[in-house]
Amino acid sequence: MSLLDEAKKGIITEEMKTIAKDEGVTPDFIRRGVAEGHIVIPISPYRKARAVGIGKGLRTKVNASIGTSSDIVDVDGEVEKARAAEDAGADTLMELSTGGDFLDIRKRVCEATSLPVGSVPLYQAFIEAARKYGAVVHMKEDDMFRITEEQARLGTSFMAIHTGINRITVERLKKQGRHGGLCSRGGAFMTAWMIHNDKENPLYSEFDYLLEILKRHEVTLSLGNGMRAGAVHDSTDRAQIQELIINSELADQAFNFGVQTIVEGPGHIPLDEIEANVVLMKRLSNEKPFYMLGPLVTDIAPGYDNIVAAIGASLSSAYGADFICYVTPAEHLALPNAEDVRIGVMSARLAAHVGDMIKYGKRERDLEMGHARKNLDWQKMYSLALNPGLAREVRASRMPEDKETCTMCGDYCALKIVRKTFGF
């Protein structure tokens, strides 16, 4: 039985108990969420990873994506990035290499972290085809399923798989056009392959076979968002919505088969469309866990896209998104380094917390920080900070004469004045 099958039969697993303790809920709350398809727990029979619950009623989770490119293949650097992501507090990691020895890179990354690790098998399938046959459009259909199984055996806990791109979706895209094209590598690869070969997407036409592989190896299916917009002016268009409809139908099919399922959402999207997208995603997918990719709410801030994404992610979380993918300052500019990864994770964690303050009313930590600041209790402030090390470092670099205050106000600390004047 898969973990989903166990949940449906009323069995509470060790992973469910661990997550319940971490989240402050009962083990049966987790079991029921999994059994209803509202919560997923990405696991693998081939690798021991941290138990993480993603879905309704749980803290919004943060994913960090790493991986080589065709220009930069530095496996030690990817291992460093994996460790940086975990140290910064990411909940999951996606290894998305497009250069080098794919299996060796993923093996080393999996060994370097205790986080559940995800992948996109389609990347490897198409790039191996380009290396072997000269172009991605010459990929053999069987290779995609073979690689999915190979990656599963390495201990991959969840996979983004582009199932919702089919002939109808591609036709919608052709008829409407795009200002910013496709920003999804998987979407670009698959549409090019379909058009060149005049064939249906095998991940869609052979979906039953794909489910057999995923269930056999206990992989959580993340239904990829290959038609997501690459520019805010393309958001919520017909191609994106068509893919969502297809993926939502497939999500129900996967759930009935016993495969845990996540539905992925759009990337570039203006602020005023976020709520509609989250509500639509949740309604069409029957409340499956929703993975928001970004979202970037403006296109004019290269170098600051971690901030742009955090703005969108905080609202996404508030409206009901369960899982957000970090964006680093290097987005749209270069392959991120370890420091970019740290900044991206911290930005996304902040966004997730802000969203949970609204979604669940979780404001106790903020209340404690307010009290600590009023009392000028610096040790307490550090302990409550998102990044205690950074908070200590900044204050220590500009320490005041009066150790109770900071150099922002110095002798004229508002909190000391109020305490002296009012006694609180």
Side-chain angles (χ1 to χ4, degrees):
M1 288 192 297
S2 66
L3 187 142
L4 176 52
D5 289 334
E6 290 179 310
K8 288 177 180 178
K9 289 182 175 294
I11 299 170
I12 294 175
T13 68
E14 289 303 314
E15 294 90 354
M16 295 173 194
K17 293 176 184 176
T18 298
I19 293 166
K21 184 177 180 181
D22 291 344
E23 299 278 352
V25 297
T26 66
D28 196 58
F29 177 89
I30 303 298
R31 183 203 63 77
R32 283 186 285 107
V34 174
E36 293 164 354
H38 300 161
I39 292 173
V40 298
I41 304 174
I43 61 173
S44 169
Y46 308 106
R47 174 176 172 266
K48 181 66 174 175
R50 184 183 306 173
V52 174
I54 302 167
K56 190 173 182 180
L58 307 182
R59 173 178 60 83
T60 303
K61 302 305 188 299
V62 170
N63 175 72
S65 295
I66 64 169
T68 62
S69 72
S70 56
D71 287 311
I72 302 175
V73 180
D74 178 0
V75 184
D76 290 338
E78 296 309 316
V79 168
E80 182 186 2
K81 286 191 276 186
R83 289 172 176 156
E86 183 165 2
D87 290 345
D91 298 291
T92 64
L93 185 75
M94 291 200 81
E95 200 291 297
L96 306 179
S97 287
T98 56
D101 184 331
F102 298 116
L103 297 182
D104 179 62
I105 294 166
R106 187 155 296 113
K107 181 180 178 182
R108 287 192 57 189
V109 166
C110 286
E111 290 171 350
T113 180
S114 68
L115 300 178
V117 174
S119 70
V120 182
L122 181 149
Y123 290 175
Q124 182 179 339
F126 278 112
I127 292 167
E128 283 189 358
R131 292 174 180 175
K132 188 173 181 180
Y133 307 118
V136 297
V137 295
H138 299 315
M139 181 205 69
K140 308 301 181 188
E141 296 178 38
D142 286 346
D143 288 340
M144 188 172 298
F145 298 103
R146 171 184 59 79
I147 288 166
T148 298
E149 193 147 21
E150 283 180 0
Q151 292 190 2
R153 290 184 184 280
L154 286 174
T156 306
S157 299
F158 64 106
M159 292 181 179
I161 299 184
H162 297 74
T163 54
I165 302 171
N166 63 7
R167 289 183 183 273
I168 300 173
T169 314
V170 173
E171 190 61 28
R172 292 277 184 273
L173 181 66
K174 281 183 181 178
K175 286 181 177 179
Q176 181 158 3
R178 282 273 175 95
H179 295 281
L182 290 178
C183 67
S184 165
R185 267 188 307 231
F189 284 152
M190 183 54 74
T191 54
W193 184 91
M194 290 171 64
I195 291 169
H196 177 84
N197 294 286
D198 191 24
K199 285 185 176 181
E200 182 59 277
N201 174 2
L203 297 171
Y204 175 75
S205 60
E206 302 296 329
F207 188 64
D208 286 344
Y209 180 43
L210 174 66
L211 291 181
E212 289 175 11
I213 295 171
L214 297 179
K215 185 169 184 178
R216 185 183 311 133
H217 301 288
E218 190 64 85
V219 176
T220 296
L221 170 61
S222 187
L223 292 153
N225 191 209
M227 289 288 141
R228 68 181 182 274
V232 293
H233 277 77
D234 294 323
S235 64
T236 325
D237 68 0
R238 293 192 291 267
Q240 177 200 317
I241 300 305
Q242 178 65 49
E243 183 183 33
L244 169 61
I245 292 170
I246 298 299
N247 274 338
S248 295
E249 291 173 350
L250 297 177
D252 284 345
Q253 187 176 337
F255 171 76
N256 291 333
F257 193 79
V259 173
Q260 298 187 89
T261 308
I262 298 167
V263 178
E264 295 184 10
H268 294 243
I269 176 173
L271 210 62
D272 59 339
E273 293 181 19
I274 290 176
E275 182 178 13
N277 270 263
V278 175
V279 170
L280 190 62
M281 287 273 177
K282 283 290 190 177
R283 181 67 63 85
L284 292 185
S285 71
N286 293 317
E287 296 286 328
K288 300 291 189 303
F290 176 28
Y291 183 15
M292 182 65 98
L293 306 178
L296 291 104
V297 296
T298 180
D299 292 328
I300 65 163
Y304 300 98
D305 276 330
N306 60 303
I307 299 172
V308 174
I311 293 168
S314 62
L315 273 184
S316 301
S317 169
Y319 290 130
D322 307 290
F323 194 24
I324 58 177
C325 189
Y326 87 159
V327 173
T328 77
E331 186 81 6
H332 301 114
L333 299 172
L335 189 73
N337 59 29
E339 183 57 24
D340 292 325
V341 168
R342 290 186 187 93
I343 293 170
V345 171
M346 285 296 177
S347 301
R349 284 182 58 205
L350 175 60
H353 173 74
V354 171
D356 286 347
M357 288 175 69
I358 299 169
K359 183 163 57 179
Y360 300 129
K362 289 189 173 182
R363 305 183 185 189
E364 297 82 1
R365 186 171 171 181
D366 293 81
L367 178 61
E368 286 187 68
M369 180 64 89
H371 290 161
R373 284 184 173 145
K374 183 189 74 169
N375 297 328
L376 296 170
D377 185 343
W378 292 98
Q379 297 307 314
K380 185 68 172 177
M381 283 187 256
Y382 296 145
S383 72
L384 292 166
L386 183 74
N387 187 341
L390 178 62
R392 289 178 186 275
E393 180 184 328
V394 172
R395 178 168 154 76
S397 70
R398 282 151 272 179
M399 189 64 78
E401 288 187 22
D402 180 355
K403 298 299 188 293
E404 195 176 27
T405 66
C406 75
T407 51
M408 181 72 179
C409 294
D411 294 338
Y412 307 105
C413 175
L415 293 169
K416 290 190 76 171
I417 292 169
V418 168
R419 187 167 64 190
K420 184 176 180 181
T421 304
F422 295 105
F424 60 78

